Amino acid sequence: MEGEPTAELIRAQLRRLRLNANLSQEEFGKLVHFSGSQVSAVELGQRPLDRFFLKRADEVLGTGGLLTSLLKLAERDGQPSWLRPWLEAERNAQQLWCYHPTLVPGLLQTENYARAVIRADDMLSDDEVEKRVAVRLERQAVLGRPQPPKLVAVIEEAVLRRADESFRGIMTQQVAHLVQCVERPHVSVHVIPAEVSTHVGLAGPFTLARGDDGGWVGYLENQLGGTPIDKDEDMAILIARWESVRSEALPRRQSAELVKEVITSWT
């Protein structure tokens, strides 16, 4: 897997902890609901590291969550080198401004919504889908910090209403999650109503992060991944475009009412 040095550390720690507990691979497998051969394959690197397996291993071995914490590090290490500066900026942000024309922003997605969006790429294996879902959910931890960043998200009304019968259950859960999110004092969601036909944001999604030093970093998403932005002249353009997009959106209270109205219209 990507992040291989950390993955090797996980496998070594797993084997050490199992041996210290005087458990054979077969005995340990029964406790974590895996076969002895599956345990062996994990320890030898012949089977991908599995979040459920490591969570059960942490519980059985009493590690205090060591193995799953190391898995998060491995997943972080496995991110493309061009993305890591943005992830660092996101983790350390005091303010986050994000706009997406077609999706609920990643920091506000439910697990099922994130999985459906990621799985839409049929070139990804099931294991890769689950790994990306886990990374996306882990990134949301920034909003649960003791002093979280102020998050302002702007979305399109059409995003809320995109729900055919097969997607209605997932979308109902997602919109209900948005309602819960906006009840937090540090989260604001603003909706651009459907009657606004065109504006500069429709050119593509972007996110801006302001750090402790007052500096801004941007991130542009595209079909091949994304591009971190840090040049002053580029940031000036993105901040101006953010102000334009934000001005098209409804105020916070009216946006919250519209989100709730969407749920009511389905039920």
Side-chain angles (χ1 to χ4, degrees):
M1 65 178 292
E2 294 182 272
E4 190 61 35
T6 311
E8 287 291 349
L9 175 62
I10 295 172
R11 288 191 278 265
Q13 288 295 316
L14 174 63
R15 186 173 187 276
R16 180 185 66 80
L17 291 164
R18 177 180 61 77
L19 293 175
N20 286 347
N22 294 315
L23 294 170
S24 68
Q25 290 176 337
E26 288 290 341
E27 292 168 335
F28 180 66
K30 291 179 180 178
L31 294 173
V32 297
H33 310 307
F34 278 69
S35 68
S37 61
Q38 288 174 319
V39 173
S40 176
V42 171
E43 292 184 355
L44 293 173
Q46 298 169 348
R47 178 187 174 98
L49 294 170
D50 179 274
R51 186 171 295 272
F52 172 77
F53 174 88
L54 293 179
K55 181 179 179 182
R56 286 289 300 149
D58 277 332
E59 293 170 353
V60 168
L61 298 170
T63 70
L66 171 65
L67 298 174
T68 49
S69 295
L70 287 173
L71 180 60
K72 289 180 181 179
L73 289 177
E75 291 168 340
R76 187 177 300 170
D77 291 344
Q79 296 302 311
S81 58
W82 52 263
L83 180 59
R84 292 174 193 168
W86 169 250
L87 295 179
E88 186 68 19
E90 187 179 70
R91 284 194 296 271
N92 297 319
Q94 296 298 305
Q95 294 183 54
L96 286 166
W97 297 346
C98 58
Y99 166 74
H100 206 299
T102 57
L103 297 171
V104 174
L107 290 176
L108 297 175
Q109 291 178 3
T110 64
E111 180 176 348
N112 287 334
Y113 183 93
R115 182 175 290 107
V117 169
I118 293 170
R119 185 168 283 153
D121 183 350
D122 57 11
M123 296 180 67
L124 299 178
S125 67
D126 288 344
D127 285 343
E128 181 63 21
V129 167
E130 292 306 314
K131 184 170 74 171
R132 294 193 183 194
V133 170
V135 170
R136 184 161 300 182
L137 296 179
E138 194 271 334
R139 288 171 64 179
Q140 295 177 3
V142 68
L143 298 179
R145 294 185 330 209
Q147 293 184 314
K150 172 67 175 178
L151 171 65
V152 182
V154 175
I155 59 177
E156 301 284 337
E157 181 180 350
V159 171
L160 301 176
R161 298 190 184 279
R162 181 179 292 124
D164 59 23
E165 289 302 319
S166 63
F167 197 57
R168 180 65 56 82
I170 291 174
M171 201 62 206
T172 299
Q173 182 187 56
Q174 174 62 69
V175 176
H177 178 65
L178 283 179
V179 172
Q180 294 176 344
C181 287
V182 298
E183 292 175 352
R184 304 182 192 180
H186 59 283
V187 177
S188 295
V189 176
H190 299 269
V191 181
I192 297 178
E195 56 262 29
V196 178
S197 301
T198 61
H199 58 81
V200 70
L202 295 178
F206 62 97
T207 305
L208 306 176
R210 181 178 181 271
D212 289 329
D213 60 358
W216 288 90
V217 178
Y219 181 68
L220 305 179
E221 295 183 43
N222 58 60
Q223 286 285 334
L224 297 178
T227 304
I229 304 295
D230 59 6
K231 292 183 179 179
D232 290 344
E233 57 269 32
D234 292 337
M235 286 307 307
I237 293 171
L238 286 179
I239 290 173
R241 291 191 176 183
W242 166 263
E243 295 295 343
S244 178
V245 166
R246 175 67 186 83
S247 70
E248 297 287 357
L250 297 172
R252 177 174 179 167
R253 183 173 297 179
Q254 288 179 258
S255 294
E257 291 172 354
L258 178 55
V259 171
K260 293 175 182 177
E261 187 274 322
V262 169
I263 296 180
T264 302
S265 71
W266 290 342
T267 57

